[in-house]
Amino acid sequence: MQFHVNGFKPGDPDILPAAPGHRRPGDPLPETVDVLIAGSGPAGLCLAAQLAQVPQIRTMLVEPKAGPMEKGQADGISVRSMEMFQAFGFAEKVMRESVWINETTFWAPGEGAALARVARVQDVPDGTSEMPHVLINQARVHDMFLDRMRHAPTRLAPDYGVRVAGLAVDPAAAEYPVTVTLEHTAPGREGQTSTVRANYVVGCDGARSAVRGAIGGTLHGDAAHQAWGVIDLLAVTDFPDWRMKSFVRSKDEGILMVLPREGGHLVRLYVELDRLGEHERAADRGMGAEDIIAKSQRIFRPFELQVKEVVWWSIYEIGHRLTDKFDDVPDDQVATRAPRVLLAGDACHTHSPKAGQGMNVSMGDTFNLGWKLVSVLTGRADPALLHSYSGERRAAAKGLVEFDHKWARVVGARAEDDAADGLPRVAREFVNNLPFTCGLTIQYERSALTGAPTHQHLATGFDIGKRFHSAPVVRLADAKPMQLGHCIEADARFRLFVFAPAQDAGGPGGAVAALCGWLEHDPASPLRRHTAPGEDLDAVIDTRAVFQQGFRALDYGAMPTLLRPRVGRYGLCDYEKVFCADTQRGEDIFAARGIDRAAGCVVIVRPDQYVGHVLPLQAREALAAYFGGILRVRG
Ligand code: FAD
């Protein structure tokens, strides 16, 4: 991380200087805001944590509960979400606090119907990501986002005890076209209402979303008519895999999943309970924690399970549902108006918790939306950019709902479904599905944001439309070994990674110097066209270069000036733009990501860490055209 750029500041560098005029706790509700977020779940908080960084964006987050969540709900963090957490600056904290899922085991009736371990598989295949798959209470993830909001320049905090009761959009209004009715839920204020006018409203208000209802959206789909119990507990057991993620299938009592949790002692069980009638809700059965425990004990036999403390439990039925559109613009009006109300997370897609995707996909939604809203609200992009949100994320959610359908059936598979090779069907499918459950199969379709694969051969390991797959490098200026992807922060900026051809050392006459010279000085350069007067040249598009030589073979002082920019009020040098292959440890990014060594290339990475394009170093018109299709001319 970089700090002290505008002068030495003592103390915690994660706490950024406060912007003048920010709201303080206890201040009255504002009359107008740029963005009103409904709901402080993972979707709402992930969005708020991005918007909070931008002093000129006035954001408000309303939540009917009295305060932050303490326990319960989701706990699975995919490797993809961990990569995203890295951009927010709290991946290391989560890695320290969470339990890592490295191995998954499968149990089924063996000789004499006693349970036996019948398979075990590696949970995250080698080379998938530098990040682990972890489990941690959803509430702790909320805390990390809340910290980031609290320490951002706007010092954003949720308004608890307030819910969205309704809203109306006036498409003709240029300013604050969404009028939101808020209802107070705090003791003593129940039923009181207030009105706020907003430029944008984002409904992150869960499966029963009031925002979705207000724009006429409905969830379509079906239910599996099967009740499940989930319980977080502290217990004593002789089941050997209590600290492994395990699928347990008993002979006659059904199935459960064991999920070890953070702290070394806590464990979550997902337990198959009763079949439900066509129109029956799980809640109608009146089941409780004791039913989940009793069923678990029967499934675990002959192992013992002595429960010492029940921390949290819930009973639910599986539903796979998706809404038609993630914004308020009907298809026939897309050409004439931009979205004003958008939906994210469970408000627009629901699925079973067993694939561990609910929290991940919800945060993925608002990581996609956050930079787009920042770009529009800071004048960098036209509001039409917001149309891309529903298209990209609905396709991702549709893939999840379809996967979840399939997976729910597989988890429920019986012995007769197992293959002749003895491997349970659930284990086989589990392995096949790992790229999906890691969150790595999303590939955005070709669009203004996702270029054509014409030059994909120049970097075969950076799939256009998929997330940027980080790899090790060494930073030239201080010889620090690190992950290249870790220089991507959740700051709404694009990254331009320039991979140098073999003999290029950055000096004059080389392809890197020629490209950097054009980017820095030419009026047609996207850096010049899309950066506003007075902004740093990397404020919108941040250029970094990676060379094939080891760091001792390169001269930092010979690098193009674009890669050694002067920043801040003292004009200090930014030393963190140039990297080399990690030849010392043999982890060469050029080999690992299939980069053409003779030609080099440019890889454009979107602010949400997805690869936008791969282009030759000389393709200046195509480079300019890519950004011209997304960003406004401001230079
Ligand atoms: P949510 O986390 O549901 O957050 C929505 C927020 O909006 C809530 O804080 C809610 O209070 C608030 N809200 C509601 N109405 C309004 C309104 N009118 N105005 C403003 N705010 C409003 N996933 C798993 O993987 N495993 C589990 O065991 C599991 N258990 C769950 C148990 C419960 C009871 C619930 C509700 C969900 C559970 N999930 C579980 C799902 C998982 O938590 C969600 O997929 C994930 O939290 C989705 O995030 P979100 O931000 O979209 O919605």
Side-chain angles (χ1 to χ4, degrees):
M1 68 191 298
Q2 290 178 302
F3 44 98
H4 298 323
V5 61
N6 289 315
F8 179 82
K9 289 266 182 317
D12 183 348
D14 275 326
I15 304 175
L16 302 176
H22 65 83
R23 271 185 78 211
R24 289 164 200 283
D27 280 359
L29 298 183
E31 290 179 8
T32 57
V33 291
D34 291 310
V35 184
L36 186 142
I37 302 170
S40 70
L45 292 172
C46 177
L47 180 60
Q50 295 166 78
L51 300 179
Q53 305 302 317
V54 189
Q56 65 265 44
I57 298 179
R58 290 175 310 125
T59 307
M60 178 184 182
L61 189 159
V62 296
E63 166 60 54
K65 290 180 186 142
M69 173 190 260
E70 289 182 352
K71 57 190 176 183
Q73 298 198 200
D75 56 8
I77 308 291
S78 67
V79 298
R80 173 68 202 118
S81 294
M82 288 298 293
E83 293 172 358
M84 189 190 82
F85 288 173
Q86 175 64 37
F88 281 97
F90 55 72
E92 283 172 20
K93 194 166 183 191
V94 174
M95 280 196 273
R96 177 170 163 261
E97 201 177 305
S98 59
V99 61
W100 293 28
I101 303 299
N102 300 317
E103 182 93 338
T104 295
T105 68
F106 299 84
W107 290 73
E111 290 293 313
L115 286 178
R117 190 191 296 111
V118 292
R120 55 192 311 158
V121 301
Q122 185 174 330
D123 194 85
V124 179
D126 291 340
T128 300
S129 169
E130 78 282 14
M131 291 292 171
H133 169 205
V134 307
L135 296 180
I136 190 170
N137 188 346
Q138 177 172 332
R140 290 297 295 142
V141 175
H142 289 194
D143 290 344
M144 313 259 172
F145 282 123
L146 286 165
D147 273 351
R148 189 170 150 101
M149 290 157 56
R150 197 174 15 249
H151 297 153
T154 57
R155 301 291 192 264
L156 181 60
D159 283 290
Y160 292 108
V162 181
R163 66 182 284 272
V164 170
L167 61 81
V169 185
D170 176 1
E175 286 233 295
Y176 309 115
V178 194
T179 303
V180 186
T181 305
L182 300 175
E183 187 181 296
H184 294 265
T185 57
R189 296 199 68 186
E190 295 101 329
Q192 290 178 17
T193 58
S194 310
T195 302
V196 173
R197 289 183 304 125
N199 277 321
Y200 296 97
V201 171
V202 186
C204 304
D205 49 345
R208 301 206 173 110
S209 169
V211 175
R212 184 186 66 227
I215 59 170
T218 44
L219 287 173
H220 307 291
D222 57 23
H225 307 298
Q226 173 70 51
W228 280 77
V230 52
I231 191 161
D232 292 345
L233 42 78
L234 297 166
V236 175
T237 178
D238 52 356
F239 177 66
D241 286 352
W242 197 234
R243 299 304 302 165
M244 295 273 184
K245 177 173 169 180
S246 307
F247 289 78
V248 180
R249 186 181 70 208
S250 68
K251 185 157 184 294
D252 301 313
E253 293 291 348
I255 50 185
L256 62 72
M257 282 167 58
V258 179
L259 293 163
R261 285 279 299 274
E262 66 275 13
H265 302 287
L266 190 68
V267 167
R268 167 168 290 192
L269 300 177
Y270 284 104
V271 187
E272 186 185 41
L273 299 172
D274 299 349
R275 288 288 303 164
L276 298 172
E278 185 71 18
H279 302 292
E280 201 181 7
R281 300 287 316 270
D284 301 340
R285 291 277 172 118
M287 290 180 284
E290 62 287 358
D291 299 292
I292 307 175
I293 293 169
K295 188 70 186 277
S296 311
Q297 287 166 331
R298 293 202 298 276
I299 294 173
F300 268 127
R301 267 185 216 141
F303 299 111
E304 285 206 356
L305 179 68
Q306 294 171 29
V307 176
K308 302 292 180 185
E309 184 178 328
V310 173
V311 177
W312 176 83
W313 64 273
S314 173
I315 292 188
Y316 63 93
E317 63 262 22
I318 298 170
H320 320 269
R321 296 194 173 88
L322 183 63
T323 190
D324 293 326
K325 196 96 205 294
F326 289 10
D327 63 41
D328 64 325
V329 184
D331 287 341
D332 59 353
Q333 293 177 25
V334 166
T336 53
R337 73 177 179 97
R340 288 293 183 175
V341 182
L342 304 110
L343 302 171
D346 278 12
C348 38
H349 45 76
T350 63
H351 22 81
S352 82
K354 286 197 295 294
Q357 297 300 305
M359 174 160 49
N360 296 295
V361 178
S362 302
M363 294 185 296
D365 284 350
T366 48
F367 200 40
N368 180 293
L369 178 60
W371 71 268
K372 294 174 182 174
L373 275 172
V374 170
S375 301
V376 169
L377 286 162
T378 54
R380 291 180 194 169
D382 190 87
L385 174 63
L386 297 175
H387 285 304
S388 66
Y389 167 71
S390 181
E392 291 191 333
R393 291 311 293 179
R394 191 177 182 281
K398 189 162 177 283
L400 170 61
V401 169
E402 285 164 5
F403 165 79
D404 192 54
H405 243 285
K406 206 175 78 181
W407 184 237
R409 277 200 303 275
V410 171
V411 171
R414 307 287 144 179
E416 52 271 24
D417 297 325
D418 291 349
D421 61 9
L423 201 62
R425 180 176 169 209
V426 62
R428 224 175 333 117
E429 297 273 353
F430 180 84
V431 173
N432 293 340
N433 292 330
L434 280 174
F436 192 97
T437 44
C438 287
L440 302 176
T441 49
I442 290 173
Q443 184 161 24
Y444 293 134
E445 283 182 8
R446 209 176 139 183
S447 70
L449 299 174
T450 309
T454 319
H455 303 287
Q456 183 70 76
H457 61 277
L458 294 175
T460 54
F462 292 129
D463 289 323
I464 300 170
K466 285 194 164 186
R467 71 64 155 109
F468 179 77
H469 187 181
S470 183
V473 288
V474 175
R475 197 161 59 198
L476 177 61
D478 58 356
K480 180 185 175 183
M482 59 177 283
Q483 288 284 332
L484 184 62
H486 293 191
C487 58
I488 305 174
E489 293 176 20
D491 58 6
R493 292 194 292 168
F494 284 84
R495 262 79 199 182
L496 206 61
F497 289 116
V498 178
F499 288 92
Q503 306 308 326
D504 196 328
V512 172
L515 176 62
C516 288
W518 177 77
L519 285 169
E520 187 175 6
H521 301 294
D522 198 292
S525 149
L527 275 59
R528 299 220 75 93
R529 282 162 61 85
H530 305 301
T531 309
E535 281 184 332
D536 288 336
L537 206 50
D538 63 359
V540 182
I541 305 166
D542 175 20
T543 309
R544 316 252 173 165
V546 188
F547 291 87
Q548 297 188 33
Q549 300 88 334
F551 67 90
R552 288 186 178 163
L554 291 170
D555 174 8
Y556 182 79
M559 291 294 151
T561 48
L562 181 71
L563 301 175
R564 296 180 289 129
R566 296 307 184 95
V567 291
R569 70 181 169 112
Y570 295 136
L572 301 180
C573 181
D574 181 344
Y575 285 97
E576 303 195 358
K577 305 276 193 194
V578 188
F579 304 87
C580 331
D582 194 347
T583 51
Q584 213 171 353
R585 287 164 201 78
E587 295 175 314
D588 184 341
I589 187 171
F590 285 80
R593 297 293 170 262
I595 297 162
D596 187 317
R597 288 187 179 279
C601 67
V602 174
V603 177
I604 302 173
V605 183
R606 303 167 18 157
D608 53 7
Q609 299 172 317
Y610 280 78
V611 178
H613 217 340
V614 174
L615 289 169
L617 291 171
Q618 296 73 21
R620 293 176 191 169
E621 277 181 25
L623 192 61
Y626 175 82
F627 287 108
I630 303 168
L631 299 170
R632 280 178 169 158
V633 176
R634 298 156 80 222

